[in-house]
Amino acid sequence: MAVTRERIDAAIDMLISMVVMDLAHEQGRSATELMPEFLSSRTARQLYDEEQKLWCEGPAYIEEMYKKEMQEG
């Protein structure tokens, strides 16, 4: 079975949902509120960059990457 761009994008979307749900719970916020912030982040842009293959990492790695980005300001 070929890994199409469509399948990769679906995996990224699911990964982002998992990350945002975890972060929202941790921060006491709603996922709906946090989602636009996450999607406008450098971390989210890197997830969709096929060459970086960041989407192969697990949710915990992505969460830490996002938290670090937010600390950097």
Side-chain angles (χ1 to χ4, degrees):
M1 173 179 4
V3 179
T4 63
R5 184 65 208 181
E6 183 178 273
R7 287 178 188 256
I8 292 171
D9 285 345
I12 292 168
D13 292 343
M14 285 193 322
L15 181 59
I16 287 173
S17 293
M18 291 174 11
V19 168
V20 168
M21 293 290 285
D22 285 347
L23 289 168
H25 178 73
E26 183 180 294
Q27 296 175 12
R29 300 171 65 190
S30 74
T32 304
E33 177 186 357
L34 185 57
M35 184 65 80
E37 294 173 23
F38 184 86
L39 290 175
S40 65
S41 72
R42 181 178 68 237
T43 302
R45 285 191 301 277
Q46 290 175 338
L47 273 168
Y48 283 103
D49 182 348
E50 191 172 339
E51 290 180 19
Q52 291 192 34
K53 298 205 183 295
L54 184 59
W55 57 271
C56 292
E57 300 293 341
Y61 181 87
I62 304 304
E63 287 177 35
E64 290 305 313
M65 188 174 170
Y66 178 73
K67 288 176 188 177
K68 184 177 178 182
E69 177 185 345
M70 294 299 101
Q71 288 175 346
E72 292 171 356

